[in-house]
Amino acid sequence: MESLAKPQIICHHSKSLDYAIHDVKWIPCSAKFVSVGGKSNGAGVVEIYSLSSERVEKIDEFYKKDHFKCCTFDASSLRNRHLATGDFSGRLQVWDMEDTITPVYKSTVHTAVINSIDGVAGQSANCGAPEIVTGSRDGCVMVWDVRQKDLPVAKFTPLESQTGRDCWCVAFGDSYNNEERVIAAGFDNGDVKLFDLKTMNVRWSKCLKNGVVDLQFDRKDIPMNKLVVTTLESKFFCFDVRTQHPNKGFANLSEKAHASTIWQVKHLPQNREIFMTTGGSGSLCLWKYIYPSKRVEKDSEGIPYGIIGELQQLQNSNLSDQPITAYDWCVDKLGLAVCSAYDQTLRVLITTKLNLF
């Protein structure tokens, strides 16, 4: 019976492209997705695809001066569905997909490539302002409100006495009302930092001894629950961020997977206990988090500390001989996803039987 219930990861469609793909995202409330990257001549490209049962069809595209590195729709309303992008010149730009001649918002404050971007509150009510966070090679993490032109609304920079570390990934979390909000950021030296936007301080930090490639909260718009962090050398960490002990910090566990760099972690929108990791060996691993019988205990002084659960691997699959560097679940269809790899191929995937978990 267990084998009958085991999910299967199926490549539904694949499409080879003539440029380097750096990120892919589903367009909310549609059967469309975007691919962003760059041509060999240095130009940046955004392509829009439509999915049908028979094929993947390109329906539009636009080109700009520099390679695009990352993108998100998460700071935009479902009505506007504006695409925010970061490029190799450090530009943050927000695009109206119906009119891409000039961006509706632009900033050039970053001085190096924007490696990672995330958005929040665009599609959620009573969860604060619609904001974008960017992490850059210049070592800075910046927060933007598109209603405020030119300058970030928050900026976390290296101390004057310190050399800025390359920020590889950023993610919003704890955005469950109009006041609370945090940003998790990962750096090339293995540092993970949790920035509290309410107090404008570093709430927590930890060094994982390996470059932090990606991180994601299981949900952005709930009180902090779990944070998964992936690293350069085949290890990822799962933190229970609901309970923070003043000395022990957050309870956590680590897992080895992919036998290579773990490039992405993406939680299933319909079930936050399930997530996918993607590897440098072209593999996918599907995981489920299992909670412990008790999530909180108290130490000898009566101070609460968290208890970590365990992970179950549900499935793994090899799609390519090149790293899978971008992955996105579809919010509107359980199990539907799109990914891209260094082999310049887009793949539309279906993961079956997720409703059983």
Side-chain angles (χ1 to χ4, degrees):
M1 291 296 291
E2 286 187 8
S3 62
L4 292 176
K6 197 172 184 180
Q8 299 298 316
I9 303 171
I10 301 167
C11 184
H12 185 50
H13 292 294
S14 64
K15 191 175 186 67
S16 296
L17 305 182
D18 62 351
Y19 62 90
I21 311 167
H22 295 302
D23 206 355
V24 290
K25 288 292 187 298
W26 287 99
I27 300 176
C29 297
S30 75
K32 301 174 185 176
F33 60 87
V34 298
S35 168
V36 307
K39 297 276 192 176
S40 58
N41 64 1
V45 58
V46 175
E47 293 187 336
I48 305 168
Y49 290 88
S50 179
L51 174 66
S52 68
S53 58
E54 293 83 21
R55 59 179 178 170
V56 173
E57 180 183 3
K58 184 170 71 173
I59 58 174
D60 203 359
E61 64 184 0
F62 65 91
Y63 296 88
K64 297 301 172 181
K65 181 179 178 181
D66 295 293
H67 277 219
F68 292 106
K69 183 67 166 62
C70 50
C71 66
T72 183
F73 286 98
D74 286 354
S76 178
S77 68
L78 294 177
R79 174 180 293 181
N80 293 331
R81 292 189 286 191
H82 288 167
L83 178 68
T85 60
D87 71 18
F88 275 69
S89 292
R91 272 190 297 264
L92 165 66
Q93 297 172 98
V94 180
W95 306 94
D96 181 345
M97 303 301 284
E98 303 297 325
D99 181 6
T100 58
I101 295 176
T102 57
V104 297
Y105 182 86
K106 182 175 73 171
S107 171
T108 56
V109 176
H110 279 298
T111 59
V113 55
I114 295 176
N115 291 314
S116 181
I117 191 169
D118 194 20
V120 74
Q123 300 164 30
S124 304
N126 302 316
C127 287
E131 291 177 336
I132 299 165
V133 61
T134 51
S136 170
R137 186 178 294 168
D138 63 17
C140 297
V141 174
M142 301 188 192
V143 182
W144 312 85
D145 185 331
V146 295
R147 300 169 301 181
Q148 178 173 313
K149 299 296 184 184
D150 302 324
L151 297 175
V153 295
K155 185 176 181 180
F156 300 95
T157 60
L159 298 175
E160 290 185 6
S161 59
Q162 295 180 348
T163 302
R165 305 302 311 199
D166 194 344
C167 180
W168 283 353
C169 49
V170 289
F172 276 115
D174 209 33
S175 180
Y176 61 93
N177 62 26
N178 287 321
E179 297 179 359
E180 304 293 334
R181 188 163 293 175
V182 301
I183 295 165
F187 297 83
D188 65 342
N189 64 339
D191 283 348
V192 179
K193 296 181 184 293
L194 206 58
F195 300 106
D196 191 322
L197 292 186
K198 186 176 180 180
T199 62
M200 296 301 293
N201 289 318
V202 178
R203 179 169 170 176
W204 169 79
S205 66
K206 186 176 181 66
C207 184
L208 302 181
K209 300 179 182 179
N210 243 306
V212 176
V213 183
D214 195 25
L215 43 70
Q216 189 186 42
F217 291 96
D218 55 358
R219 286 289 182 275
K220 301 177 188 182
D221 56 353
I222 63 171
M224 284 197 306
N225 189 53
K226 299 192 302 299
L227 174 70
V228 177
V229 181
T230 75
T231 68
L232 272 178
E233 294 187 7
S234 63
K235 185 181 283 190
F236 70 89
F237 297 79
C238 182
F239 293 89
D240 184 326
V241 288
R242 184 60 59 89
T243 304
Q244 183 178 1
H245 188 273
N247 299 319
K248 297 179 180 180
F250 296 117
N252 68 90
L253 61 81
S254 64
E255 186 79 35
K256 283 202 167 187
H258 302 283
S260 59
T261 296
I262 305 178
W263 283 88
Q264 290 262 284
V265 54
K266 294 296 179 184
H267 288 83
L268 184 67
Q270 298 85 359
N271 183 347
R272 70 186 185 207
E273 317 313 343
I274 295 175
F275 60 91
M276 189 77 80
T277 56
T278 77
S281 56
S283 57
L284 297 173
C285 289
L286 185 68
W287 306 87
K288 180 181 180 181
Y289 182 79
I290 301 172
Y291 289 97
S293 57
K294 292 180 66 176
R295 290 186 66 178
V296 180
E297 294 279 5
K298 291 186 177 180
D299 64 15
S300 58
E301 298 179 353
I303 301 174
Y305 65 91
I307 304 295
I308 199 67
E310 59 185 38
L311 290 170
Q312 176 188 1
Q313 188 177 41
L314 300 179
Q315 187 56 274
N316 62 77
S317 178
N318 247 49
L319 294 182
S320 171
D321 57 2
Q322 296 293 317
I324 299 175
T325 55
Y327 187 97
D328 195 37
W329 293 106
C330 179
V331 175
D332 305 303
K333 183 70 173 177
L334 179 66
L336 184 63
V338 62
C339 71
S340 66
Y342 277 161
D343 59 9
Q344 298 184 185
T345 301
L346 286 172
R347 293 175 175 88
V348 176
L349 310 175
I350 296 174
T351 303
T352 65
K353 301 180 181 178
L354 291 174
N355 60 310
L356 301 178
F357 294 90

